[in-house]
Amino acid sequence: MAEAEKPAALPGIMPDRLPETARPPEDFNPIAIAKDLLRVTRAGALATIDRNTGHPFSSLINVATDADGSPLILVSRLSTHTANIEVDPRASVLLASTGKGDPLAHPRLTVIGTFANVAGDAPDAARVRRRFLSRHPKSKLYAGFGDFSFWRLHVVSAHLNGGFARAADLKAADVITNLRRY
Amino acid sequence: MAEAEKPAALPGIMPDRLPETARPPEDFNPIAIAKDLLRVTRAGALATIDRNTGHPFSSLINVATDADGSPLILVSRLSTHTANIEVDPRASVLLASTGKGDPLAHPRLTVIGTFANVAGDAPDAARVRRRFLSRHPKSKLYAGFGDFSFWRLHVVSAHLNGGFARAADLKAADVITNLRRY
């Protein structure tokens, strides 16, 4: 590669390669950024495995968090992504902050785990419903439909891409709050 | 479910269940909306299969289209999503339009297929590079890096969720332009 192609700095750009080859700034706190994205992002991209073809399937979802930070979704049994997680509950959710300019210049978090259905008569069902509808009041319009139900992502790991030279692989314990400690 | 929970209409809301249970309006043209999303959306969510765990992995990408509409991406070999498609090239890309209010009220397209690397000395490499960098001029900063390369999605199908009571499964031929006809 010609040396002239290498700029001295890449303002506002964060190609994925740089985290591996450059040292992030000392004030980079990936856990804090990850927790922030987890708690404030209202919509995300869900990745599931298509039950018919095995292809990874990307779809749009509204998302909230349970008390410990675990992502919550409200989906219809008639939709593709729900049919997928009923067969294989492995999934991930991309939570991206938005803003001006290149989307890749803004932090985003991929939360990886396994979905479990929150049964309507489960002890935590009322809390899950309250938390989700508090963040998404318009969802009350269909939350009561018989084919809709809540699912919680049991997080196993996460990947933060926080910007130029700022990426980190995180453990579940880095982003999920251990409520048993309190 | 109590009848009172069913509103007469769901303005601005489009739960996934409705496409299966309601008839879309007569002026609904899923192919036109899908092609529009494919050609104008600049960033999307890529779903790949994690090469280590098998989990579906969702990540943010900038996207352009080849002449026929096939999605093009520019990614680093050092990134997770690239390592994933090198092992299993099956993927999908979610292209969502944005706007005010509920994100689920806006149309989005999932394009499903298989990625193939565009070799730097391939006959179509110059066209792919030109088209991608024309849409993403800032990517010129790192497009020349040795670990970056272009990939093209060979589309096998697509799923459009266009709004309330507006969804459709599409074939590749619905969204990809057959250039041999011209």
Side-chain angles (χ1 to χ4, degrees):
Chain A
M1 174 178 51
E3 196 62 33
E5 286 179 306
K6 280 188 187 167
L10 302 177
I13 299 285
M14 46 174 205
D16 286 342
R17 72 184 287 273
L18 289 162
E20 281 87 356
T21 55
R23 186 189 294 266
E26 286 190 10
D27 62 353
F28 175 52
N29 187 337
I31 293 176
I33 298 169
K35 284 187 167 181
D36 190 55
L37 285 168
L38 189 62
R39 293 290 189 173
V40 307
T41 313
R42 299 180 77 255
L46 173 65
T48 57
I49 295 179
D50 189 278
R51 67 206 178 283
N52 297 315
T53 69
H55 272 79
F57 183 79
S58 185
S59 55
L60 190 68
I61 46 157
N62 279 332
V63 65
T65 54
D66 202 353
D68 66 354
S70 298
L72 301 172
I73 61 172
L74 170 62
V75 289
S76 163
R77 196 183 313 126
L78 301 174
S79 67
T80 299
H81 46 214
T82 310
N84 290 346
I85 59 176
E86 281 178 342
V87 172
D88 186 338
R90 293 178 298 174
S92 65
V93 178
L94 172 67
L95 303 168
S97 60
T98 54
K100 287 187 179 177
D102 193 336
L104 300 186
H106 299 279
R108 66 271 193 187
L109 177 73
T110 303
V111 194
I112 302 145
T114 304
F115 272 107
N117 187 255
V118 181
D121 57 357
D124 51 1
R127 183 187 74 234
V128 162
R129 179 185 172 88
R130 188 179 65 244
R131 291 183 64 96
F132 189 92
L133 296 180
S134 171
R135 181 167 291 191
H136 300 286
K138 285 184 182 172
S139 297
K140 287 173 190 164
L141 288 167
Y142 52 87
F145 285 4
D147 54 300
F148 272 82
S149 63
F150 293 97
W151 294 71
R152 182 195 292 110
L153 186 70
H154 174 71
V155 176
V156 295
S157 64
H159 181 75
L160 176 76
N161 195 330
F164 171 62
R166 299 182 185 204
D169 285 312
L170 303 175
K171 302 189 199 97
D174 291 331
V175 293
I176 300 299
T177 305
N178 182 356
L179 298 176
R180 291 181 190 155
R181 293 187 304 179
Y182 300 97
Chain B
M1 174 179 51
E3 197 61 32
E5 285 179 302
K6 279 188 189 168
L10 301 176
I13 298 284
M14 46 172 204
D16 285 342
R17 73 184 285 273
L18 289 161
E20 280 86 356
T21 56
R23 186 188 293 266
E26 285 191 9
D27 62 353
F28 176 51
N29 187 337
I31 293 176
I33 299 170
K35 283 187 168 181
D36 190 53
L37 285 168
L38 188 64
R39 293 290 189 172
V40 307
T41 313
R42 301 180 75 256
L46 173 66
T48 56
I49 296 178
D50 189 278
R51 68 205 178 282
N52 297 314
T53 69
H55 273 77
F57 183 80
S58 184
S59 55
L60 190 68
I61 47 155
N62 279 331
V63 65
T65 53
D66 203 353
D68 66 354
S70 298
L72 301 172
I73 61 173
L74 170 62
V75 290
S76 163
R77 197 183 313 127
L78 301 173
S79 66
T80 299
H81 46 214
T82 311
N84 291 346
I85 59 176
E86 283 178 341
V87 171
D88 186 338
R90 292 178 298 173
S92 66
V93 178
L94 172 67
L95 303 168
S97 60
T98 54
K100 287 186 180 177
D102 191 335
L104 300 186
H106 299 279
R108 64 274 192 187
L109 177 73
T110 303
V111 194
I112 301 147
T114 303
F115 271 107
N117 186 254
V118 181
D121 57 357
D124 51 0
R127 182 188 73 234
V128 163
R129 179 186 172 90
R130 184 180 66 243
R131 291 183 64 97
F132 189 93
L133 296 180
S134 170
R135 180 167 291 192
H136 300 285
K138 285 184 181 171
S139 298
K140 288 175 190 165
L141 289 166
Y142 52 87
F145 286 5
D147 55 301
F148 272 83
S149 62
F150 294 98
W151 294 71
R152 181 196 292 112
L153 186 71
H154 175 71
V155 175
V156 295
S157 64
H159 181 76
L160 177 76
N161 194 330
F164 171 62
R166 300 183 185 202
D169 285 313
L170 303 174
K171 302 191 201 95
D174 291 331
V175 292
I176 300 299
T177 306
N178 183 356
L179 299 175
R180 289 180 190 155
R181 292 188 303 181
Y182 299 98

